[in-house]
Amino acid sequence: MKQLTIQSSQRNYPIVMEAGLRFRLKKWLNKDYSSILVITDDQIADKYLQDVVDSLDQKNIYTSIVPSGEASKNIEQYYKLQSKAIESGLDRKSLIIALGGGVIGDLGGFVAATFMRGIDFVQMPTTILAHDSSVGGKVAINHESGKNLIGCFYPPAAVLYDTETLTSLPYREVRSGYAEILKEGLISDISLAEELLPLSLKQISSVQLENHLEAGIKVKAMIVEEDEKESGVRKYLNLGHTLGHALEATLGYGKVTHGEAVANGMLFALHVSEKVKEQQLPFNELYNWMKINEYPIIDIKEKSISELIKSMKSDKKSISGHIQMVLLNKVGEPAVENLDDSSVEAYIKTFIERMNKL
Amino acid sequence: MKQLTIQSSQRNYPIVMEAGLRFRLKKWLNKDYSSILVITDDQIADKYLQDVVDSLDQKNIYTSIVPSGEASKNIEQYYKLQSKAIESGLDRKSLIIALGGGVIGDLGGFVAATFMRGIDFVQMPTTILAHDSSVGGKVAINHESGKNLIGCFYPPAAVLYDTETLTSLPYREVRSGYAEILKEGLISDISLAEELLPLSLKQISSVQLENHLEAGIKVKAMIVEEDEKESGVRKYLNLGHTLGHALEATLGYGKVTHGEAVANGMLFALHVSEKVKEQQLPFNELYNWMKINEYPIIDIKEKSISELIKSMKSDKKSISGHIQMVLLNKVGEPAVENLDDSSVEAYIKTFIERMNKL
């Protein structure tokens, strides 16, 4: 078992990682709740919902199952869950448990944050990717115009990570999650980045996975403790996300996984960093890592550039119409840069050329 | 001009009351905002929107006008306003101004609280009633099943009260607002309560009004500073609201004003207080005040009791299915009481009998 504590302005909360944790949930709830609503998706429900309900061992447990996938992070599902909470008689002393990946954590968390002005919620991530989104208190739903545009900062009461639920992840999900772990290495943990870059994800042991998760969460925790509301260093966590989000939005959510889009976004961020900072960065190493591990290398077309730029400008980080990107001075040393449209356009063009030569 | 400062966990913010303040807004914004969205309703827009826009004196000002009335505090309007904010290019350095009564303040505030995880907003109340809702950081929308069930705690950057906008209020709105001022007197300011109870609201001068507003806001401010998240004394502000909200919900929103419903709810609360606390309370004085000032005395029917109780139980304050009411030990000394259904039913019956004898 591994345990960390995150300090937030509203409360401190534990992150617990343990194989089989879903059978011992009661132990980690430090309050008596009048009722509990477990929110999960239709893929996770079959595998783990009953275990969770059983281990809570109390009356007034309700469950709500939403379709799996990013499309569920919308206003309709949000309102349905609010209705479910009301119909089930949840009150201010109730708990919501978000059992699933980042979609469920973000959606369930935003419901909890705004149900009767906020009730407790517990994150139970079931993907590697969600190690990132479950820590730090960001909860949100999507708007047609962009991801996570509607949401708030609302720390969970606990993050309870049953690492056993990761063993059955499809390889594509492993890949998606590792992009965020690599990101954490690139911005703040050189040895983690150096360990990951030559690694084939298909050959990772469960011990390695737990260690990588812990290292990634430590980076995330350190950053969100320093800057909970993303006015400063928290922005560094967006390395690869400016183009990444735009790729997800323009390709259509679900075509590539979040991590696959972020990996491509990081490659672009390293390209821009080399240009802006005039430094040698592990561009080729990242490219090779993506190849070894079968990340799709997204073939950006010249004609899609204007659409990508429009999408990048609608990003929450964008201020006064500039595009904000996280760049690296070197590995472990990120910096935020505001770029105008024409510079970004030029960088995308040279990026396309560079990729065509590889 | 009158000015107070409210301390909240997230920030301190000023409340400014001044005639003609809408012509001097720029002075009270302590930041440069990249853009501003003014949200108001179709009744207020004609009167004051242009003044507000002119006095902001900057580029990138957008306006959004929603239909006046409680019905606008719903999920559809909420989402429309989010879309408007996105389309207008608002970013994290933008401001939302809620110009109007409590509906606009609650709705606009909840949009601001959740747009890109929270941007600044300013309350510009245009009703007496909104002196209460604009202070304390509660923002919300309604669910079909009950008022304010979806929302959060999110303090404004400022409350800017142009008292000139109150001079054109219909008498019914004056009455609605004074119910909340009287409530503040009853729970915490004996001299305010004693001054108000014999008063005919039709004969109030603007100086008296400003003084009453200030006294009411001071009570509210003191309470929310002590208990921002409503875990203790803030509940006292719900005097009259348990039955009041149920009356509004069961009669249909808009049939009675919020203040009219609260006045009836306070009468009931005094009735119950006399029974539970075995104390003489100003029940008759409140009844006479309501009669003088033409508050509708709601004729509760025996057959509607079960529906009222169901509605009272769906109140956010209700825990584990009990009905929570604020009672008075005496004027200025409130207490929270959890009551079971059968007790509440019995109290409603004796209340109906008592009212029939008046």
Side-chain angles (χ1 to χ4, degrees), chain B residues 186-187 235-236 238-240 242 265-266 268-277 281 324-339 347:
Chain B
L186 286 173
I187 60 175
K235 290 181 180 173
Y236 297 157
N238 290 311
L239 178 72
T242 311
M266 288 196 291
F268 177 63
L270 292 195
H271 172 75
V272 178
S273 300
E274 287 189 347
K275 301 285 178 192
V276 173
K277 307 290 181 183
L281 287 164
Q324 197 168 78
M325 280 186 74
V326 179
L327 304 179
L328 294 183
N329 296 321
K330 56 184 186 184
V331 172
E333 200 181 301
V336 171
E337 202 85 23
N338 287 303
L339 301 165
Y347 291 132

Side-chain angles (χ1 to χ4, degrees), chain B residues 14 50-51 63 68 71 126-127 142 182 230 321 328 331 338 345:
Chain B
Q50 196 56 51
D51 297 343
T63 60
S68 68
T126 58
T127 64
N142 300 330
L182 178 60
E230 197 167 356
L328 294 183
V331 172
N338 287 303
E345 187 181 338

Side-chain angles (χ1 to χ4, degrees), chain B residues 345-357:
Chain B
E345 187 181 338
Y347 291 132
I348 297 181
K349 282 183 178 164
T350 56
F351 180 65
I352 293 174
E353 282 164 25
R354 186 172 183 178
M355 296 298 287
N356 286 339
K357 284 187 199 142

Side-chain angles (χ1 to χ4, degrees), chain B residues 101-307:
Chain B
V103 167
I104 293 298
D106 283 5
L107 173 65
F110 189 46
V111 171
T114 54
F115 177 71
M116 297 192 178
R117 298 203 179 87
I119 62 172
D120 275 5
F121 89 110
V122 163
Q123 293 265 19
M124 287 196 65
T126 58
T127 64
I128 298 172
L129 185 64
H131 85 276
D132 180 51
S133 56
S134 65
V135 177
K138 279 190 179 182
V139 294
I141 55 173
N142 300 330
H143 186 273
E144 299 98 271
S145 308
K147 282 186 74 160
N148 299 327
L149 290 181
I150 303 175
C152 55
F153 291 95
Y154 193 74
V159 180
L160 304 180
Y161 219 134
D162 183 349
T163 49
E164 222 171 75
T165 64
L166 306 177
T167 56
S168 62
L169 277 183
Y171 177 58
R172 201 175 178 207
E173 288 299 320
V174 174
R175 209 159 57 201
S176 185
Y178 261 92
E180 294 283 11
I181 303 183
L182 178 60
K183 175 201 76 181
E184 283 144 355
L186 286 173
I187 60 175
S188 183
D189 184 339
I190 300 173
S191 67
L192 177 62
E194 284 175 349
E195 189 189 331
L196 290 183
L197 278 173
L199 213 64
S200 163
L201 299 178
K202 284 201 171 146
Q203 279 142 34
I204 276 169
S205 70
S206 60
V207 173
Q208 276 180 303
L209 171 58
E210 276 201 26
N211 288 335
H212 296 154
L213 274 179
E214 187 186 23
I217 289 176
K218 278 189 175 161
V219 169
K220 175 91 188 217
M222 182 190 69
I223 287 177
V224 299
E225 283 181 357
E226 188 178 335
D227 174 27
E228 195 179 348
K229 299 288 173 71
E230 197 167 356
S231 49
V233 298
R234 187 160 182 170
K235 290 181 180 173
Y236 297 157
L237 292 164
N238 290 311
L239 178 72
H241 283 64
T242 311
L243 183 65
H245 277 164
L247 288 171
E248 280 182 282
T250 55
L251 294 172
Y253 293 119
K255 298 281 179 184
V256 288
T257 64
H258 180 64
E260 288 167 350
V262 167
N264 281 273
M266 288 196 291
L267 202 58
F268 177 63
L270 292 195
H271 172 75
V272 178
S273 300
E274 287 189 347
K275 301 285 178 192
V276 173
K277 307 290 181 183
E278 296 178 355
Q279 290 285 334
Q280 175 83 29
L281 287 164
F283 181 93
N284 291 327
E285 289 81 350
L286 174 57
Y287 179 80
N288 289 334
W289 182 77
M290 287 171 68
K291 287 298 256 183
I292 300 169
N293 294 305
E294 300 166 46
Y295 286 80
I297 309 288
I298 298 169
D299 183 21
I300 300 171
K301 305 286 182 203
E302 285 253 356
K303 64 179 182 204
S304 68
I305 293 178
S306 64
E307 196 191 357

